[in-house]
């Protein structure tokens, strides 16, 4: 016998999500039955719900990060201070010099993790003004020049946007590209390159960050924007650089997309 109870399902079709309800009709005089199908596009509702859930998680993460910073920064400061005192009293050829270096590097790593966690979980409100992104990209190049020279990596520009101005917080926008370029340099072998490009498309400013690295494995590409996920060796990355950059971009009404990544390199669009 045919069920007379309404049934429903959620269907994903392309970039849209639909909520579909099917209600059976009673048998007609001919003995044939029918159904009424009602379909609603719930794509925007699902996206809104996901943003709200993500925001709630960030609130909790922000509270945890604040407690961590309060509880850990004081002992870390003490460790760093006593380590500096010990280093100042050791002769340069002391066998303990290596131990002092290890303590310093790990203390700095802990401070960096706490700082990045706070930055990701509790970003400050943007101080909005008109910002020339070409000038911001040039600043990023000057700021990271020592890193590029040390790794023997060439940084180049291909800035073709006729309208490079956006409304936003210059400091936060600069952080996006510092994070992306630092990630790129870590993926590139000596002699490679990182290129910053710009163009206008459909009223938007698109900025590309391309590198000549070996690419991100296909099975890892879906996870790179997930907080604390990192492809770097243990202790070399916190997994917060890309999520922080994406969140800043979204706060400014934009986003970050991985356009391509293979053995010839990786390209991100902001």
């Amino acid at each position: 016998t045919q069920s007379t109870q309404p049934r429903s399902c959620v269907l994903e079709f392309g970039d849209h999500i639909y909520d579909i309800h099917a209600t059976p009709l009673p048998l007609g005089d001919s003995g044939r039955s029918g159904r009424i199908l009602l379909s609603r596009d719930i794509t925007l509702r699902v996206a809104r719900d996901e943003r709200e859930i993500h925001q709630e998680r960030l609130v909790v993460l922000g509270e945890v990060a604040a407690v961590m910073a309060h509880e850990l920064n004081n002992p870390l400061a003490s460790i760093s201070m006593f380590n500096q005192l010990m280093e100042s009293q050791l002769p340069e050829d002391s066998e303990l010099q290596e131990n002092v270096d290890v303590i310093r590097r790990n203390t700095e790593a802990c401070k960096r993790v706490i700082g990045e966690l706070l930055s990701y979980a509790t970003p400050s409100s943007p101080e909005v003004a008109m910002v020339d992104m070409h000038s911001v990209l040039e600043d990023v190049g000057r700021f990271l020049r020592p890193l590029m020279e040390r790794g023997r990596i060439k940084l180049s520009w291909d800035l073709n946007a006729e309208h490079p101005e956006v409304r936003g917080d210059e400091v936060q926008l600069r952080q996006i590209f510092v994070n992306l370029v630092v990630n790129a340099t870590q993926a590139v072998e000596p002699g490679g390159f990182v290129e910053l490009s710009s163009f206008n498309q459909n009223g938007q400013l698109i900025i590309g960050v391309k590198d000549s690295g070996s690419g991100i494995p296909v099975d890892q590409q879906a996870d790179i924007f997930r907080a604390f996920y990192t492809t770097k060796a243990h202790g070399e990355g916190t997994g917060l650089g890309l999520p922080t950059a994406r969140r800043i971009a979204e706060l400014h009404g934009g986003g970050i997309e991985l356009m391509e990544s293979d053995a010839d390199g990786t390209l991100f669009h902001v």
Side-chain angles (χ1 to χ4, degrees):
T1 59
Q2 183 177 358
S3 171
T4 60
Q5 298 298 318
R7 304 184 65 179
S8 63
C9 67
V10 175
L11 174 67
E12 294 188 27
F13 186 77
D15 295 330
H16 291 266
I17 303 174
Y18 298 93
D19 186 15
I20 301 175
H21 292 266
T23 303
L25 293 174
L27 292 175
D29 295 337
S30 64
R32 299 178 63 181
S33 64
R35 291 176 182 272
I36 295 178
L37 295 178
L38 175 64
S39 173
R40 293 184 299 173
D41 188 334
I42 60 172
T43 308
L44 295 179
R45 191 185 77 189
V46 170
R48 185 188 66 242
D49 291 345
E50 290 178 349
R51 286 195 300 269
E52 290 176 354
I53 292 172
H54 182 62
Q55 190 61 37
E56 290 175 0
R57 289 174 178 167
L58 286 176
V59 170
V60 174
L61 182 59
E63 294 174 353
V64 173
V67 172
M68 284 182 58
H70 177 73
E71 296 294 332
L72 295 179
N73 275 333
N74 287 337
L76 283 173
S78 297
I79 293 171
S80 178
M81 181 184 66
F82 280 99
N83 192 59
Q84 291 175 25
L85 289 173
M86 184 165 56
E87 184 176 22
S88 66
Q89 297 175 14
L90 286 176
E92 291 184 1
D93 58 351
S94 171
E95 295 180 354
L96 297 177
Q97 191 67 48
E98 182 178 354
N99 296 352
V100 169
D101 291 340
V102 170
I103 294 172
R104 184 181 66 253
R105 287 199 304 271
N106 282 276
T107 304
E108 291 173 351
C110 290
K111 291 180 179 178
R112 186 178 69 251
V113 170
I114 293 172
E116 291 184 7
L117 180 59
L118 282 170
S119 177
Y120 174 71
T122 56
S124 57
S125 299
E127 296 182 7
V128 178
M130 291 303 298
V131 179
D132 184 336
M133 290 307 301
H134 285 176
S135 295
V136 168
L137 296 178
E138 292 169 359
D139 286 344
V140 170
R142 284 191 289 268
F143 177 69
L144 295 178
R145 181 179 292 117
L147 176 66
M148 312 293 283
E149 292 176 348
R150 188 163 61 246
R152 292 192 287 116
I153 298 168
K154 179 182 178 182
L155 178 63
S156 62
W157 287 266
D158 183 23
L159 307 179
N160 296 309
E162 295 182 4
H163 304 287
E165 302 84 10
V166 299
R167 289 187 62 80
D169 184 306
E170 183 174 347
V171 174
Q172 292 189 9
L173 290 169
R174 186 181 295 110
Q175 185 180 352
I176 294 175
F177 296 98
V178 169
N179 288 356
L180 287 173
V181 174
V182 167
N183 275 3
T185 59
Q186 292 172 342
V188 175
E189 297 292 331
F193 71 86
V194 176
E195 181 185 73
L196 299 174
S197 61
S198 73
F199 59 94
N200 294 112
Q201 184 179 69
N202 299 325
Q204 292 185 317
L205 173 64
I206 310 294
I207 297 176
V209 180
K210 181 176 177 59
D211 66 61
S212 61
S214 57
I216 302 168
V218 175
D219 61 343
Q220 298 179 5
Q221 292 180 11
D223 296 315
I224 58 174
F225 290 107
R226 180 161 54 85
F228 305 109
Y229 182 86
T230 178
T231 59
K232 300 184 181 72
H234 180 68
E236 293 185 5
T238 62
L240 290 172
L242 280 176
T244 299
R246 170 178 267 188
R247 189 166 186 221
I248 293 172
E250 291 174 347
L251 285 172
H252 286 77
I256 301 178
E257 186 176 357
L258 174 63
M259 303 302 295
E260 59 186 50
S261 188
D262 52 35
D264 295 324
T266 297
L267 171 64
F268 285 95
H269 274 177
V270 181

